């Protein structure tokens, strides 16, 4: 899955965990130590093999050789709750997948190595013309249009900046990263040429050059927040929405008649809502052409399809447990309790259960900016090992006394719940392992299943939970997209009810760090500050594995490379 924005996307159900029984410890102490030693050796070997995975695994074919026509069918977990991708409810992976085919993922071309260039279909030129103040001059392709036929102009970018820079809190934006640092945007030579002046430096300025929607979509808070709840906001790519069937959970895209670039090869793309538990069977039956593989069981089912091709690369997705610092009837405000939870959860066991059957290494994540293997990565925890004894000692220090098999303090027991979405096995299995581990050190942890379509809007986003587990998708712009997971307190992506004031000044330093070595140093300081709070406990990185119908070319599994949707097709 590819990200070109400077915000992180959430996934409700990736990085799936096996059954609780499979995760349970077995045998005596010596046997357990031997098993851990063997697992460490096997993982070290697997980690070396991981470095041999390609950055892009799809089959390539030159544009002129790709047959014309055909339909690609993909599954999504939920129907878009808001088609405005800049709105807090529009920031999910399913909505993003749809809009990628409509141009969102196309302004910046990212190659297999992660190198970035502007797509001339959108941006003719853009350059940094001054560093003090930071100034960017740009020119749009004058042929570019929104899929309603209106031209893409500088006024669109100005309207977007004013709506998303945080100056008007009635605009419920997912992130103000970058836009809040813009001092001015002005039109220069014509309606397609402009200049951006920053009030403070911003290293990922290339992400702010082209607008995400027409000026009309940013007209006022009511339009921004509500106008695209049930209908798409205009896109800017080779495909556009042809039909919406909300009751059936189907989004059908067709070729965009206003597209100015080379013609797309596919005739249509269909996105169908299919719950996670039935997606493998849908793929095996030929009902969908693409399946994201997160467990060994899913991989096994995918292989039963005769024309299935399995593609595998390293991935940017990481699973975690997010803790609400205001939850647990006040108990979770104590950092010692949260640290005890982190040290009392067997992250490696969770990882072995899911990644092992995928024939990939267990790679635990211990950094909140960089992914393992990404340049700049360091361990921010200094060794977050599974240690129930240390966890118990921390709870003792916090005043939670073990009485029998439960801990008490001032007459209260340590009661917590994990909210999980219905019919999403990955969340359920991760939650069960967390529940097992925490109850073994004296918590009274329960699971609460809620409707899948209400999981984020009714629980995660309003922070009405003690604990939740889902996945974040990392980005090609890691330094710009990490702090807002924890700062400020009202960030559209901070679900922890906690913010460390040290992150504000550090974030300003990080956004101004054009020197790579300095950027890595500050980014790791940011990650260490986040780690010290123990409000987000990272689990493991999931490899990017895609099962795709044989014959689909120029799209599939990739680490960084973006898909050119004009070139995607189905060979004979």
């Amino acid at each position: 899955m590819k990200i070109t924005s400077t915000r992180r996307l959430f996934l409700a159900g990736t990085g799936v965990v096996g059954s609780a029984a499979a995760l349970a410890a077995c045998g005596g102490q010596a046997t357990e130590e031997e098993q851990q030693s063997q697992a460490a050796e096997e993982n070290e070997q697997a980690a070396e093999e991981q470095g041999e995975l390609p950055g892009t695994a799809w089959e390539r074919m030159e544009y002129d050789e790709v047959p014309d026509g055909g339909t690609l069918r993909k599954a999504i977990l939920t129907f878009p709750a808001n088609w405005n991708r800049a709105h807090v409810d529009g920031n999910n992976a399913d909505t993003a997948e749809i809009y990628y085919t409509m141009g969102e993922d196309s302004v910046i071309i990212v190659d297999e190595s992660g190198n970035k260039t502007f797509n001339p279909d959108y941006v003719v030129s853009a350059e940094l013309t001054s560093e003090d103040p930071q100034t960017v001059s740009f020119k749009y392709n004058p042929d570019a249009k929104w899929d309603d036929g209106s031209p893409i102009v500088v006024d669109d970018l100005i309207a977007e900046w004013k709506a998303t820079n945080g100056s008007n809190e009635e605009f419920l934006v997912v992130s103000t990263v970058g836009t809040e640092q813009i001092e001015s945007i002005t039109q220069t030579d014509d309606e397609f040429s402009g200049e951006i002046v920053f009030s403070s430096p911003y290293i990922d300025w290339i992400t702010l050059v082209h607008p995400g929607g027409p000026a009309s979509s940013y007209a006022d808070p009511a339009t921004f927040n509500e106008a695209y709840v049930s209908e798409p906001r205009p896109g800017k790519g080779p495909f556009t929405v042809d039909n919406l069937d909300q009751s059936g959970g189907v989004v059908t895209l067709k070729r965009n008649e206003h597209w100015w670039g080379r013609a797309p090869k596919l005739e249509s793309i269909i996105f169908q809502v299919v719950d996670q538990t039935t997606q493998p069977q849908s793929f095996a039956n030929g009902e969908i052409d693409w399946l994201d593989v997160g467990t060994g069981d899913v991989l096994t089912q995918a292989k039963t399809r005769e024309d299935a091709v399995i593609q595998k690369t390293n991935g940017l997705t990481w699973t975690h447990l997010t803790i609400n610092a205001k939850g647990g009837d006040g108990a979770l405000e104590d950092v010692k309790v949260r640290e005890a939870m982190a040290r009392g959860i067997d992250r490696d066991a969770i990882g072995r259960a899911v990644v092992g059957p995928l024939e990939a290494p267990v790679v635990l994540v211990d950094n909140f900016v960089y992914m393992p293997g990404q340049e700049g990565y360091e361990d921010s925890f200094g060794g977050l090992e599974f240690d129930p004894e240390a966890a118990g000692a921390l709870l003792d220090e916090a005043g939670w006394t073990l009485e029998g098999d439960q801990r008490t303090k001032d007459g209260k027991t340590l009661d917590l719940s994990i909210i999980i979405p219905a019919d999403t096995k990955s969340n359920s299995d991760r939650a069960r392992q967390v529940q097992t581990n925490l109850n073994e050190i004296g918590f009274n942890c329960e699971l609460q299943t809620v409707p899948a379509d209400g999981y984020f809007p009714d629980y995660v986003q309003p922070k009405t939970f003690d604990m939740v587990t889902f996945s974040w998708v990392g980005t090609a712009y890691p330094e710009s997209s990490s702090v807002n997971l924890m700062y400020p307190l009202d960030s559209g992506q901070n679900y922890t009810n906690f913010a460390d004031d040290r992150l504000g000044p550090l974030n300003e330093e990080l956004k101004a760090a054009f020197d790579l070595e300095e950027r890595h140093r500050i980014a790791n300081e940011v990650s260490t500050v986040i780690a010290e709070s123990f409000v987000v406990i990272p689990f493991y990185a999931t490899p990017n594995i895609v099962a795709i119908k044989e014959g689909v070319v120029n799209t599939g599994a990739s680490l960084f490379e973006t898909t050119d949707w004009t070139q995607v097709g189905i060979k004979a």
Side-chain angles (χ1 to χ4, degrees):
M1 184 165 294
K2 302 159 292 298
I3 305 299
T4 59
S5 68
T6 54
R7 57 180 179 264
R8 302 255 173 160
L9 297 181
F10 53 67
L11 293 174
T14 53
V16 196
V17 181
S19 68
L23 296 174
C26 60
Q29 182 66 30
T31 302
E32 183 176 352
E33 290 175 356
E34 290 172 0
Q35 290 174 337
Q36 290 175 345
S37 176
Q38 182 180 355
E41 291 177 7
E42 291 174 349
N43 192 58
E44 184 176 349
Q45 180 181 352
E48 293 177 3
E49 296 172 354
Q50 183 191 37
E52 300 175 3
L53 289 176
T56 300
W58 63 58
E59 181 180 355
R60 298 184 187 275
M61 180 175 283
E62 293 298 323
Y63 175 82
D64 290 338
E65 298 175 3
V66 179
D68 188 66
T71 297
L72 181 68
R73 297 163 298 173
K74 298 187 69 175
I76 52 177
L77 289 175
T78 59
F79 202 83
N82 193 314
W83 291 82
N84 181 356
R85 291 278 294 120
H87 189 275
V88 66
D89 289 341
N91 183 48
N92 68 70
D94 290 330
T95 309
E97 286 290 334
I98 297 170
Y99 267 100
Y100 288 165
T101 69
M102 297 168 64
E104 181 179 302
D105 201 31
S106 302
V107 174
I108 299 170
I109 300 170
V110 185
D111 67 16
E112 184 171 1
S113 299
N115 300 311
K116 308 171 187 74
T117 57
F118 280 108
N119 185 340
D121 281 336
Y122 298 92
V123 179
V124 174
S125 64
E127 60 179 335
L128 189 65
T129 56
S130 171
E131 292 187 1
D132 188 19
Q134 183 179 342
T135 305
V136 174
S137 296
F138 62 89
K139 182 175 180 60
Y140 294 156
N141 186 330
D143 295 330
K145 301 178 181 65
W146 300 108
D147 60 16
D148 62 4
S150 60
I152 299 176
V153 295
V154 176
D155 280 346
D156 296 326
L157 188 69
I158 293 173
E160 179 179 57
W161 161 57
K162 290 181 177 180
T164 62
N165 63 12
S167 60
N168 185 342
E169 295 183 355
E170 292 184 18
F171 287 90
L172 303 180
V173 299
V174 66
S175 175
T176 60
V177 171
T179 55
E180 64 186 350
Q181 292 172 254
I182 294 176
E183 179 70 28
S184 64
I185 302 178
T186 54
Q187 179 178 307
T188 53
D189 297 340
D190 53 37
E191 61 182 341
F192 306 109
S193 304
E195 182 179 83
I196 305 172
V197 178
F198 289 82
S199 57
S200 58
Y202 185 64
I203 53 176
D204 288 326
W205 60 267
I206 65 172
T207 64
L208 303 175
V209 169
H210 208 265
S216 58
S217 66
Y218 304 102
D220 52 64
T223 300
F224 182 87
N225 297 333
E226 301 167 13
Y228 304 103
V229 170
S230 57
E231 64 179 57
R233 186 174 72 170
K236 55 183 179 182
F239 292 92
T240 186
V241 173
D242 182 30
N243 185 63
L244 296 179
D245 177 5
Q246 187 160 0
S247 60
V250 180
V251 179
T252 303
L253 305 184
K254 65 178 181 179
R255 292 169 177 168
N256 178 9
E257 65 179 349
H258 297 294
W259 172 245
W260 60 96
R262 65 185 184 182
K265 294 293 185 176
L266 289 173
E267 182 176 348
S268 60
I269 303 173
I270 296 175
F271 292 90
Q272 169 74 59
V273 174
V274 184
D275 72 62
Q276 190 185 62
T277 58
T278 59
Q279 280 188 19
Q281 192 60 51
S282 294
F283 178 77
N285 292 343
E287 297 164 5
I288 55 176
D289 302 321
W290 176 310
L291 176 67
D292 291 315
V293 176
T295 71
D297 288 343
V298 172
L299 182 60
T300 299
Q301 285 183 272
K303 289 180 177 179
T304 64
R305 178 169 170 167
E306 290 185 0
D307 64 346
V309 175
I310 308 300
Q311 303 174 352
K312 184 188 300 185
T313 71
N314 292 324
L316 291 173
T317 300
W318 56 284
T319 60
H320 60 92
L321 183 75
T322 286
I323 298 171
N324 183 351
K326 298 295 184 183
D329 196 22
L332 296 178
E333 289 189 89
D334 191 334
V335 67
K336 289 183 178 179
V337 172
R338 301 196 301 266
E339 182 178 354
M341 295 166 67
R343 299 193 183 281
I345 295 172
D346 192 344
R347 301 186 301 153
D348 196 56
I350 295 174
R352 287 198 306 272
V354 58
V355 181
L358 293 173
E359 302 168 6
V362 177
V363 182
L364 297 181
V365 176
D366 289 305
N367 193 291
F368 293 92
V369 180
Y370 303 113
M371 293 292 289
Q374 204 167 16
E375 189 177 3
Y377 180 90
E378 294 178 5
D379 182 352
S380 299
F381 290 94
L384 182 56
E385 305 294 337
F386 175 52
D387 191 341
E389 186 175 338
L394 284 163
L395 291 172
D396 290 338
E397 291 177 25
W400 290 94
T401 304
L402 187 62
E403 296 182 5
D405 59 358
Q406 288 199 337
R407 291 185 176 270
T408 63
K409 180 180 181 181
D410 299 329
K412 296 181 179 179
T413 53
L414 202 46
D415 300 335
L416 300 177
S417 67
I418 308 176
I419 304 293
I420 54 177
D423 301 319
T424 309
K425 188 175 184 296
S426 57
N427 296 63
S428 176
D429 288 343
R430 281 197 302 273
R432 283 194 173 86
Q433 176 61 25
V434 171
Q435 178 190 40
T436 297
N437 287 148
L438 293 184
N439 286 350
E440 286 174 348
I441 57 174
F443 285 80
N444 179 31
C445 181
E446 297 182 348
L447 307 185
Q448 180 183 348
T449 301
V450 301
D453 59 358
Y455 179 62
F456 280 102
D458 297 337
Y459 297 91
V460 178
Q461 288 163 350
K463 306 170 190 175
T464 55
F465 63 86
D466 295 332
M467 295 175 284
V468 289
T469 175
F470 53 93
S471 296
W472 285 112
V473 183
T475 83
Y477 311 91
E479 296 91 357
S480 299
S481 61
S482 301
V483 172
N484 53 313
L485 300 185
M486 278 270 301
Y487 186 88
L489 190 63
D490 59 357
S491 164
Q493 293 186 293
N494 182 0
Y495 304 127
T496 67
N497 257 325
F498 180 89
D500 191 314
D501 289 336
R502 291 177 292 174
L503 290 174
L506 281 173
N507 193 34
E508 294 305 310
E509 290 184 51
L510 181 58
K511 289 185 289 189
F514 287 91
D515 178 77
L516 186 60
E517 196 171 305
E518 179 72 357
R519 189 186 312 168
H520 289 164
R521 182 192 66 78
I522 299 170
N524 279 297
E525 189 173 349
V526 165
S527 183
T528 298
V529 169
I530 295 175
E532 289 172 352
S533 70
F534 292 98
V535 287
V536 177
I537 303 170
F539 291 155
Y540 54 85
T542 58
N544 188 12
I545 302 176
V546 169
I548 200 164
K549 181 178 76 171
E550 185 178 12
V552 175
V553 296
N554 297 323
T555 193
S558 79
L559 177 61
F560 292 118
E561 188 169 1
T562 49
T563 294
D564 178 352
W565 284 98
T566 67
Q567 197 164 335
V568 175
I570 304 172
K571 69 178 185 180

